[in-house]
Amino acid sequence: MPNRPADEHLDALRARLAAAGEHGLTPAEQEELQRLLDRAGRDGARDDPGLAESLEEAAAGFEARHPSVSAALRTVGVNLANLGI
């Protein structure tokens, strides 16, 4: 069953990723984020025990160079956790 609030949060982060040039993300960083977002948005994400850790690790990795992306990842992680994902 789709989780509309989670989808909305993921869509917001995807929009940020689409504007990645504004954030100075490298193609490799964009690809990493896209893989993580795809993972979070797939059916069965609720059963992915490492998803929360992966979001936090990615946020920590982006902290110094891309604080707004890092903050967005953390927000998505918190919101998904609150939704049980």
Side-chain angles (χ1 to χ4, degrees), residues 13-78:
L13 192 51
R14 282 188 181 98
R16 281 189 173 214
L17 181 57
E22 297 173 23
H23 299 289
L25 294 171
T26 67
E29 290 169 330
Q30 292 177 39
E31 186 177 318
E32 177 186 350
L33 281 176
Q34 188 60 56
R35 276 195 309 266
L36 188 56
L37 294 177
D38 290 345
R39 182 177 164 195
R42 75 173 197 265
D43 290 339
R46 185 180 302 261
D47 299 323
D48 186 342
L51 181 57
E53 291 95 13
S54 294
L55 285 166
E56 181 55 37
E57 287 173 8
F62 286 105
E63 187 76 44
R65 286 197 45 205
H66 309 290
S68 65
V69 172
S70 178
L73 282 170
R74 286 196 168 104
T75 299
V76 168
V78 168

